[in-house]
Amino acid sequence: MVGSVHMNGSVHGANGTEERLDQLRRLLGKSDSDLLKIVSIGAGAWGSVFAALLQDAYGHFREKVQIRIWRRPGRTVDRSVAEHLFEVINWREDVLRRLICRCAYLKYVEARLGDRTLYADEILKDGFCLNMIDTPLCPLKVVTNLQEAVWDADIVVNGLPSTETREVFEEISKYWKERISVPVIISLAKGIEASLNPIPRIITPTQMISSATGVPTENILYLGGPNIASEIYNKEYANARICGSDKWRKPLAKFLRQPHFIVWDNGDLVTHEVMGGLKNVYAIGAGMMAALTNESATSKSVYFAHCTSEMIFITHLLTEQPEKLAGPLLADTYVTLLKGRNAWYGQMLAKGELSPDMGDSIKGKGMIQGISAVGAFFELLSQPSLSVQHPEENKQVAPAELCPILKRLYRILIKRELPVRGILQALRDETMNDPRERIEMAQSHAFYRPSLLGKP
């Protein structure tokens, strides 16, 4: 950071870093002697990068802020990964020098030779995320005891997959029973659950957190955008939105903003959160399509036209003003199709290198969130109570019947009734309607179903 050294030895950033930190500290009621305590829960790629971005920006203000990351202990690093990690270390002179100075290099030599077992929390302290070995981070302060990590944290970042969020935050709630102040929570999770009773509705990670902990929704925010974690840490230009209450989203957007990572703010938390889960659904199909057609640009563009029409159709069910989401949703979808783990997963399925029976947690990649999202969206949109008028058959049908790609993905990934090649049939059916018609249908009817998002 470019800056000047003050008489007390502190660094004053020319880009206003310390001022932003002080403003957030004041908003949270911190006295001069109190540390602002930030902890990231979960050490996947995005959760680790997010913690590292904060550490790089604010970690040197040791008398004002403490930044830590929690991950479960005991996860071992197998020898093949250790060998690859050793190659990364020796390729990066800065990382090599850092480890030698920290007297940590020898353990990676021993792990490469098979003489020592490394653990995921151990390498995270040295700046290596198990799901992102090729991108070394700054060293992080790692806590493996959940109670120690969260009991007095001022800001908690949810870096967990949506499928683990409820369970972990129910555990966290036990440690917050005696709290006087309410923490601020920023959720990075992109995924949803479906609740069918008493009425069909979507449950998002921020709603899971509020339900599990009792923290009011005013203090829970969602941050998302068209981001690839490794590229953000390597300072590729990126942007994101933090969504939630006026009280917190604007100061947090300012606090999180960096020259290469621009953070905007928006009040529509739940809809942005749901859209973050929706694009993962169609990214899996895009990966399948790319592999099955040998990266045919024509086939991929046909898929893109159909999948975006389904996404627009679904968006009209979920929000009264879907046009406001068009840009962010398409941008997030585009980057996920280009380089996201869900598209990668679809490709590996189509190539036969993975199978649905292997589950949704893949070594070296982490949780494939699109799988559970396929199940949730299809089950919700299959409910008769949400029926819409079929454009040709003059009858009421469940919305899922007008989403052939979603329907095929459900049968491939959840029911496992079809082989992966079955996704091709969703595009090559002679009776399929022009995707434009699906969009026009959504735009010409009163489609909005507020109950899907738990609204009256």
Side-chain angles (χ1 to χ4, degrees):
M1 184 184 70
V2 178
S4 59
V5 180
H6 289 250
M7 292 300 291
N8 63 2
S10 65
V11 179
H12 182 74
N15 60 2
T17 302
E18 188 170 12
E19 287 87 349
R20 293 200 300 270
L21 174 58
D22 287 340
Q23 287 171 9
L24 187 62
R25 283 171 50 82
R26 286 194 294 270
L27 188 60
L28 285 160
K30 309 302 289 186
S31 68
D32 291 343
S33 60
D34 284 344
L35 282 174
L36 172 62
K37 296 184 179 181
I38 303 174
V39 63
S40 182
I41 302 300
W46 187 208
S48 297
V49 163
F50 195 80
L53 289 174
L54 293 175
Q55 179 65 31
D56 279 339
Y58 298 104
H60 53 280
F61 299 113
R62 294 183 181 88
E63 295 180 356
K64 295 186 175 186
V65 65
Q66 177 193 78
I67 300 162
R68 302 193 293 176
I69 186 168
W70 172 85
R71 73 155 295 135
R72 293 182 179 90
R75 177 78 180 272
T76 59
V77 178
D78 64 38
R79 184 172 176 180
S80 64
V81 174
E83 290 173 349
H84 182 52
L85 185 53
F86 185 77
E87 293 173 2
V88 172
I89 291 168
N90 284 280
W91 179 69
R92 290 277 298 265
E93 183 178 336
D94 59 328
V95 177
L96 178 59
R97 288 184 180 279
R98 186 179 80 201
L99 291 174
I100 291 172
C101 289
R102 291 163 61 96
C103 301
Y105 180 66
L106 183 58
K107 67 186 178 186
Y108 293 98
V109 177
E110 294 173 341
R112 175 181 174 271
L113 296 173
D115 296 337
R116 174 176 177 155
T117 299
L118 292 173
Y119 293 89
D121 56 285
E122 177 185 16
I123 67 171
L124 189 60
K125 293 176 183 178
D126 294 327
F128 301 106
C129 171
L130 191 58
N131 294 341
M132 199 175 55
I133 292 296
D134 290 313
T135 305
L137 309 173
C138 63
L140 294 171
K141 296 175 183 176
V142 181
V143 184
T144 56
N145 182 294
L146 185 59
Q147 182 175 6
E148 178 189 345
V150 303
W151 75 275
D152 63 345
D154 300 295
I155 298 175
V156 177
V157 178
N158 175 33
L160 297 162
S162 59
T163 49
E164 297 178 17
T165 293
R166 185 190 302 278
E167 176 187 353
V168 174
F169 275 87
E170 284 176 349
E171 181 71 17
I172 287 172
S173 70
K174 299 175 184 177
Y175 312 132
W176 284 352
K177 291 185 183 301
E178 306 301 322
R179 280 192 70 129
I180 298 173
S181 62
V182 180
V184 174
I185 300 171
I186 304 171
S187 180
L188 310 178
K190 294 181 176 180
I192 68 163
E193 288 182 357
S195 175
L196 303 181
N197 293 308
I199 58 172
R201 70 183 183 95
I202 290 169
I203 302 176
T204 67
T206 61
Q207 292 170 333
M208 298 175 202
I209 292 168
S210 181
S211 173
T213 63
V215 172
T217 54
E218 180 188 53
N219 277 47
I220 306 176
L221 302 100
Y222 163 72
L223 185 137
N227 311 137
I228 300 296
S230 61
E231 294 182 350
I232 291 176
Y233 195 72
N234 288 329
K235 292 186 167 47
E236 296 289 341
Y237 178 80
N239 58 65
R241 280 179 178 80
I242 188 162
C243 305
S245 66
D246 287 341
K247 179 179 180 180
W248 294 114
R249 73 172 192 267
K250 291 186 182 296
L252 284 171
K254 188 175 181 180
F255 177 72
L256 297 172
R257 178 172 291 198
Q258 298 185 23
H260 67 283
F261 184 57
I262 306 304
V263 180
W264 299 310
D265 68 278
N266 190 282
D268 192 353
L269 182 151
V270 174
T271 313
H272 277 84
E273 198 176 9
V274 171
M275 295 304 108
L278 180 61
K279 54 89 183 175
N280 286 335
V281 168
Y282 291 95
I284 295 178
M288 294 176 178
M289 186 62 58
L292 291 170
T293 62
N294 197 27
E295 297 290 342
S296 161
T298 300
S299 294
K300 288 194 288 186
S301 67
V302 169
Y303 176 85
F304 189 75
H306 282 281
C307 84
T308 50
S309 75
E310 289 191 19
M311 293 170 77
I312 291 168
F313 177 84
I314 293 170
T315 304
H316 277 73
L317 289 167
L318 297 173
T319 179
E320 198 167 13
Q321 297 178 310
E323 64 280 355
K324 291 185 177 181
L325 293 170
L329 177 58
L330 286 177
D332 210 353
T333 302
Y334 181 64
V335 77
T336 304
L337 267 55
L338 284 176
K339 204 174 179 180
R341 75 181 69 177
N342 289 278
W344 171 87
Y345 175 76
Q347 287 184 316
M348 294 301 103
L349 287 180
K351 292 177 179 178
E353 297 181 28
L354 295 174
S355 76
D357 294 333
M358 296 172 69
D360 54 7
S361 182
I362 306 299
K363 186 175 75 172
K365 287 290 182 178
M367 187 67 66
I368 309 299
Q369 307 241 58
I371 299 173
S372 61
V374 167
F377 275 110
F378 183 83
E379 288 165 10
L380 279 169
L381 300 182
S382 297
Q383 299 305 303
S385 60
L386 301 173
S387 292
V388 297
Q389 185 72 20
H390 193 285
E392 293 182 349
E393 298 181 8
N394 195 30
K395 65 177 182 180
Q396 294 285 309
V397 296
E401 294 300 315
L402 299 174
C403 299
I405 295 176
L406 176 62
K407 189 174 182 178
R408 289 271 168 172
L409 288 170
Y410 182 78
R411 294 182 66 189
I412 293 167
L413 297 172
I414 308 301
K415 302 298 287 186
R416 300 177 190 172
E417 299 171 345
L418 296 175
V420 174
R421 293 191 64 85
I423 193 68
L424 295 173
Q425 191 60 32
L427 305 184
R428 297 177 178 176
D429 189 340
E430 292 181 2
T431 64
M432 175 168 279
N433 295 329
D434 185 335
R436 174 185 57 82
E437 296 176 5
R438 187 179 295 107
I439 296 171
E440 288 180 347
M441 177 184 175
Q443 292 174 335
S444 61
H445 292 73
F447 258 40
Y448 178 41
R449 302 288 194 276
S451 60
L452 274 171
L453 298 185
K455 298 177 182 179

CSV table of all heavy atoms in Angstrom, one decimal, residues 126 236 257:
chain,number,residue,atom,x,y,z
A,126,ASP,N,-0.4,-20.8,6.1
A,126,ASP,CA,0.7,-20.4,5.3
A,126,ASP,C,0.2,-19.7,4.0
A,126,ASP,O,1.0,-19.3,3.1
A,126,ASP,CB,1.6,-21.6,4.9
A,126,ASP,CG,2.3,-22.1,6.1
A,126,ASP,OD1,2.7,-21.3,7.0
A,126,ASP,OD2,2.5,-23.4,6.1
A,236,GLU,N,-7.3,-9.0,-10.8
A,236,GLU,CA,-8.1,-8.7,-12.0
A,236,GLU,C,-9.3,-7.8,-11.5
A,236,GLU,O,-9.8,-7.9,-10.5
A,236,GLU,CB,-8.7,-10.0,-12.6
A,236,GLU,CG,-7.7,-11.0,-13.0
A,236,GLU,CD,-6.9,-10.6,-14.3
A,236,GLU,OE1,-7.5,-9.7,-15.0
A,236,GLU,OE2,-5.8,-11.1,-14.6
A,257,ARG,N,-14.6,-2.0,-0.5
A,257,ARG,CA,-14.1,-1.5,-1.8
A,257,ARG,C,-12.6,-1.4,-1.8
A,257,ARG,O,-12.0,-0.8,-0.9
A,257,ARG,CB,-14.8,-0.2,-2.1
A,257,ARG,CG,-14.3,0.4,-3.5
A,257,ARG,CD,-15.2,1.6,-3.9
A,257,ARG,NE,-16.5,1.2,-4.2
A,257,ARG,CZ,-17.4,2.0,-4.9
A,257,ARG,NH1,-16.9,3.1,-5.4
A,257,ARG,NH2,-18.6,1.6,-5.2
